[in-house]
Amino acid sequence: MSNTSALAFGGQPGTGPGTAKTELWTGSVWIETNDRNTAVVGPASSGTITSALGFGGEGPPALAVTESWSVPSTTVKTISTD
């Protein structure tokens, strides 16, 4: 496991524009990368900084959303929603 890199998904849904952030830790700074398609609070995640899934979270209500993230394209795609 490396402590020089990390990937974090998070956000805040709201009545106005929500935030759906994806942040990449380079070992010295956090970089804002492509945002998620769906804003959720407390998503779970699995994978590496080059290929990961972000899933679940609260909306309101609870959401069943799974999105994939990959490098080098850093394209976020929704692969299933509820």
Side-chain angles (χ1 to χ4, degrees):
M1 185 164 103
S2 171
N3 62 357
T4 60
S5 59
L7 185 64
F9 300 115
Q12 179 65 48
T15 55
T19 59
K21 302 296 183 189
T22 300
E23 304 281 334
L24 177 64
W25 174 252
T26 67
S28 59
V29 297
W30 285 100
I31 298 172
E32 169 70 21
T33 63
N34 291 23
D35 291 343
R36 290 175 48 119
N37 292 325
T38 305
V40 297
V41 175
S45 62
S46 180
T48 67
I49 64 161
T50 58
S51 180
L53 294 175
F55 46 90
E58 297 179 35
L63 299 170
V65 176
T66 301
E67 295 183 6
S68 67
W69 190 90
S70 62
V71 170
S73 67
T74 62
T75 299
V76 178
K77 298 177 183 177
T78 300
I79 57 177
S80 69
T81 60
D82 188 18

